Amino acid sequence: MPADKADMTDLADPRSGDPLWALMYHSVADPTDDPYQVTVSPGRLERQLRWLRRRGLAGVSMAELLRARAEGRGAGLVGLTFDDGYADFVETAVPLLRKHGCSATVFVLPGRPGGTNEWDSPGPRKPLLTEDGVREAAAAGMEIGSHGLLHVDLVTADDTTLAAETARSRELLRALTGGEVGGFCYPYGTVDARVVAAVRAAGYSYACAIDPGPLTGMHALPRIHVGERDTGLRLHLKRRLHHRRREPVPAAAFAAYARSAAYRASVASEVVPTALPAATP
């Protein structure tokens, strides 16, 4: 079976495994000095977005993806997420996303507005979004989620720090954007039952991890790392192997979400970007 047709079969047939697929990006810039392999060049990102479109896939924010899944219409949608809230998200990623008719979720650190990625050492210092940059991303139709306050490992954090990183970061982002903040992303991808409970208690409707194993659910959604080396072939293989390498999100989780106040708030707070251009080849 041709690769394109195989991809669409996996999306349409629930027997092939859970079709929820979310991609995890970080910085969009020159990847030459990138010891952690978290940087994708603008050219590579554009080729990846074209690869999705050629296969009839639409890149959307996590909020949009989860709303669609709750309404039974998620086939063909891929979640696009950008961790850490780098300044290059607005400068470089947003124009490319809009060019290809995509939306995305950017997980930011309200405790470091206009700061740098000090947690990556050794490694190059990269600027993070300012408060104005966060508002600009929201105005462009991108979902704003929390990555905690300062990018700390929540599994090793004490209770006071955990509360600040989850509840306080949400309060700050709601005040900054004037909108709802439903999504959280675990720094470093580390998560345990205590941290999941804290995120849920802070009022988030969902949270993203990487490979949460048995914790997989609405507050521990699995994602796939995407880097500069990910050509179309590598993305195809990652797509095919996703449901074998990650625990499937239980269908009951989406059914419960569809009945929740968080879902109703997500629908009510949906942002429509201004002057979003039609997708181009």
Side-chain angles (χ1 to χ4, degrees), residues 36-162:
Y36 303 103
Q37 298 184 25
V38 295
T39 306
V40 173
S41 67
R44 177 64 70 190
L45 174 60
E46 180 151 34
R47 288 191 291 275
Q48 291 165 347
L49 295 176
R50 285 175 175 162
W51 181 88
L52 291 175
R53 290 191 52 229
R54 286 197 300 269
R55 282 148 184 81
L57 305 176
V60 297
S61 69
M62 289 303 297
E64 184 175 347
L65 176 62
L66 296 175
R67 281 196 302 269
R69 284 299 306 274
E71 296 164 3
R73 55 175 182 84
L77 298 183
V78 177
L80 301 181
T81 65
F82 291 77
D83 290 10
D84 301 338
Y86 291 102
D88 57 49
F89 177 74
V90 164
E91 297 165 356
T92 308
V94 167
L96 290 173
L97 291 166
R98 289 171 65 96
K99 176 181 178 181
H100 291 278
C102 297
S103 63
T105 300
V106 58
F107 292 108
V108 303
L109 298 157
R112 297 183 184 270
T116 64
N117 57 327
E118 297 175 10
W119 60 90
D120 282 338
S121 183
R125 297 282 74 83
K126 293 188 175 188
L128 304 177
L129 288 169
T130 63
E131 291 185 347
D132 284 344
V134 173
R135 285 189 284 260
E136 185 177 347
M142 307 299 152
E143 180 192 11
I144 307 300
S146 173
H147 204 27
L149 281 175
L150 300 172
H151 202 288
V152 301
D153 186 342
L154 300 183
V155 171
T156 61
D158 59 36
D159 290 346
T160 300
T161 301
L162 180 58

